[in-house]
Amino acid sequence: MKRVISFLLAAAMMTGAFAGCGQSQSSSSSQAAGSTAASAAASENVSGQSVTITTWNEPSKDDALNMYKQAEKATGVKVNVTVIPESDYSSKLGQMVSTKDTSTDIMVVWENDLKNFAEAKGIVSLDSYLQKSTINTKDFIPAVSQLSSGMGATYGLPWCAATEILYYNKDMFKAAGISLPTNNWKYDDFKAAAKKLTKNGVYGCALPNTQTWWAGVGGAGDKIYAPSNGQMVIGSGATSFIKDCKVMVDAKEMPAPSSDTTDLFAAGKAAMAWQGSWNIGTYADKLKFDWDIASLPTNKVKYNTLHTGFYTINANSKKQTAAWKVIEYLMSEEGQTINSKASGNPSALKTIANKGAWKVEAAKKVTNWDAITDSLNSGIFGYTCLPSGVTNNAVSKFNSSLLGEITPADAVKQASDYAAETIGY
Amino acid sequence: MRRQRSDSRSAYVFILPWLIGFLCFTLFPIVFMVQQSLTNRKLNGVSKFIGLANYKNMFKSAVFWNSFRVTILFTVVMVVVTTVWAVILALLLNRKQKFNSIFQFCYFLPSVVPTVALAYAFRTIFGKNAGLFNNILSTFMGHTVEINWLYQKNTVYFVVFFITLFTYGTGQMMLIFRSGLADVPQELYEASSLDGATFLQKFFHITLPMISPLILFNAVSGCVSALNGSFALLYPLTSENGDPNGMTQVLSLLIYKEAFSNMKVGYACALSVVLFLVAAAFGGLIFGISKKTVYYED
């Protein structure tokens, strides 16, 4: 019996060892599958097939604004949507790629995952599909082309291009007698306005969130992301922006970091806020005061981070042709227009974006829609290309500095050290 | 002889389900974890053998050493705090009084709330601007109180350890101590009363020795709970970064962060191996101390 047990233990260990080895082998057939499917795509009739798309956004309940429903009508392919909560999205997709999951055909992949998934051969190159397609890749905003270059092929097509902008409470500005922000506002104008608007328990500006911290750091002159080696590059810009925020926090012009999760701008407790353009759709006509938007104020550099996701085809999908048909529709003018109307996000295709379908009809108080196109032109894919653990850790350090627990210089050093030890073994 | 062999075979057949479970769900994951800790495996499945590089990187990392220190501190303090509190509650419940079962129900109720829900509730209670606790303090003080409980280095440990008093582990300990106290022979107390012993003397010379085996059991399970279960409590309270400034970033939070935010599964496995060794060291230490302190009746 002892022998039997010994054998079983040894078998368990061997199984473990082989399991690891098995996982490390990449499927070299996925590329071929992509190109083979592409050549078949033109001729194959995919009508009646069904594909599954994985995303983090709930589709619109209004069929006219539900791009997946419209894709079904246009292509004849049934589109099932799997929604994964945003907080787990990236890791769940990573696990799906790792286990060669076949339950999804199209994955909307985030910027920082695109390269990883391509390296793991979890997604196919779309180049051969694009050669036979009407999608004009030269029409993409420059930031998208830059992101794809260096990967050797196009692995994903952007579902939209969201930007970061300044939201401001018009009523408060008027009451304080301050001229309204414009798209050419300077950073000093912003700081002066925040000082004047701070009164009666209202903050001049809300604290930057995990996204807009980086707009401040980039605006202060730091590169943030180096595509050549994938490293985080922050220094004097981050230090100076943290110092500025600390001054504002100490003067009660900005709230200190806390566990409270209230949106102070929406609650009328902050006169300004730096946030993503997607909040326009969230606020729409729900806020109890007059408000508008502008580009983020220009410090040393005019800067904001672009946000998107990329339509990709799962290398292990058995329905790659049907998946491409659906993607092709979603990237068409009709698909992109529906998406813009539903989400308030512009298309990453310039000619479609210029038509302005992204102007949220319900947000009647917004007049400065040029802020979006202006932000699109100055936006880049920065921190979103870095692992979220690294960027969240940095924001945590920045916040600790605002609370006086470490100096701004130490916060930047600790964040940089952690990034250096984390990125690229 | 043949009968003996047949009995042995039957016994092995009976333990076979457990043995299969142990091999599949305990031994294999541990072996797999150790093996993966020697690779640079990412969450997307890409993996290459890198020997001890993960461990070398780990021991050079200031983030790891901070997390290691926090883990030791959190485990020791949490075990002490929760064990002492559970003993106090058990002593209160052991007194002969009306509505004892109602008191026990009330004491145990928070323990059956899922830890994540409990943590979110306390996060709301200890909020800076809209927190219930600050509002109560403001009412009593007559001016606005805005203490940043969960983001200040002076208060965060106080709050976190206070919240551990309401976790399932503490409630479970309380019930175990309660049953242990009921088993302490009453004649010992009666005899000591005749000798003029005070309450504290009775507690330290009779109660504690008699329930010391239970203290050992609870300390070991409390340690394991603090090492592995702290994630569910701390993640909603202080995020994966263990705010403020990594002060609450126990190893389980760092493992999660490395595996699912940085996608470094190999490195996370190396951290898990260290956590496993820490748990084993705590277990060994407690059993070592127990040899001199735990009293067993013959």
Side-chain angles (χ1 to χ4, degrees), chain B residues 220-236:
Chain B
V220 173
S221 59
C223 257
V224 174
S225 163
L227 286 165
N228 297 325
S230 53
F231 177 85
L233 180 73
L234 290 172
Y235 183 75

Side-chain angles (χ1 to χ4, degrees), chain A residues 1 9 16 23 90-91 94 98 116 257-260 389-390 392-393 396-397 400 403 405 418 421-422 425, chain B residues 12 27-28 35 41 43-45 54 61 123 127-129 148 151 241 243-245 257-258 262-264:
Chain A
M1 194 63 210
L9 291 177
Q23 293 290 1
S90 184
S91 60
S98 166
N116 288 334
S258 77
S259 55
D260 291 320
V390 166
N392 287 341
N393 178 71
S396 171
K397 296 292 175 195
S400 293
L403 293 165
E405 275 149 17
Y418 181 69
E421 77 185 39
T422 300
Y425 281 70
Chain B
Y12 281 121
L27 188 67
F28 169 68
Q35 187 242 349
R41 187 187 178 91
L43 198 64
N44 61 15
N54 280 329
S61 166
R123 187 184 163 131
K128 178 175 172 263
N129 298 314
N148 209 348
Y151 261 78
N241 298 307
D243 289 324
N245 198 26
K257 179 175 168 172
E258 295 298 350
N262 292 330
M263 314 292 173
K264 292 170 66 178

Side-chain angles (χ1 to χ4, degrees), chain B residues 159-172:
Chain B
V159 171
V160 166
F161 291 127
F162 173 74
I163 295 168
T164 62
L165 302 181
F166 300 93
T167 55
Y168 175 72
T170 314
Q172 196 184 27

